[in-house]
Amino acid sequence: QVQLVESGGGSVQVGGSLRLSCVASGYTYSRYFLAWFRQAPGKEREGVAAISTGGSYIYYADSVEGRFTISRDNPKKTLYLEMNILKPEDTAMYYCAAAADWVYGGNWHLPSQYNYWGQGTQVTVSS
């Protein structure tokens, strides 16, 4: 059974930084397409960033491009999201997700593409 566990969330001020981690267990980690999503109260879950199995393909939402960096360490079975220059609109619950099949670039932001989800870690940015 696949398990994903996020950590690293917290409360920061505008302009601050956080690094989220997502540790996986129970499957061949390197074969999975991975992503970070977020969901704010009253809003739909949205894709933040995604990374292919070997890290060759990386995608970002326009709203975080240039501020966030996604990376993965396959031997450690860990996915990261480095978040800089945080804004109040970044406040949300952040989830990592794993897809067992290849995700085409145009679909990376669709929650339906992913088979497994973590429980989430809260990020709050205050001014």
Side-chain angles (χ1 to χ4, degrees):
Q1 184 175 354
V2 175
Q3 291 185 331
L4 301 171
V5 180
E6 303 97 333
S7 62
S11 297
V12 296
Q13 293 189 328
V14 170
S17 299
L18 283 173
R19 188 192 196 199
L20 305 184
S21 299
C22 174
V23 179
S25 62
Y27 67 100
T28 306
Y29 178 82
S30 61
R31 297 180 181 177
Y32 282 69
F33 192 100
L34 303 173
W36 287 99
F37 284 75
R38 66 186 181 187
Q39 188 167 19
K43 295 188 177 181
E44 293 186 354
R45 189 167 296 192
E46 64 169 343
V48 175
I51 186 168
S52 61
T53 54
S56 297
Y57 297 91
I58 291 177
Y59 307 92
Y60 294 101
D62 290 343
S63 58
V64 307
E65 181 84 53
R67 299 188 297 122
F68 290 11
T69 303
I70 189 172
S71 62
R72 63 190 292 169
D73 186 330
N74 286 344
K76 292 184 178 180
K77 294 188 176 181
T78 304
L79 176 70
Y80 301 101
L81 185 68
E82 186 76 35
M83 306 187 295
N84 298 310
I85 317 176
L86 283 162
K87 304 175 181 180
E89 51 264 44
D90 294 319
T91 295
M93 185 72 78
Y94 283 71
Y95 300 90
C96 66
D101 298 317
W102 180 261
V103 178
Y104 290 96
N107 295 332
W108 73 268
H109 63 289
L110 300 175
S112 60
Q113 298 292 302
Y114 299 86
N115 309 97
Y116 306 102
W117 295 83
Q119 83 292 345
T121 186
Q122 177 68 37
V123 172
T124 302
V125 184
S126 57
S127 56

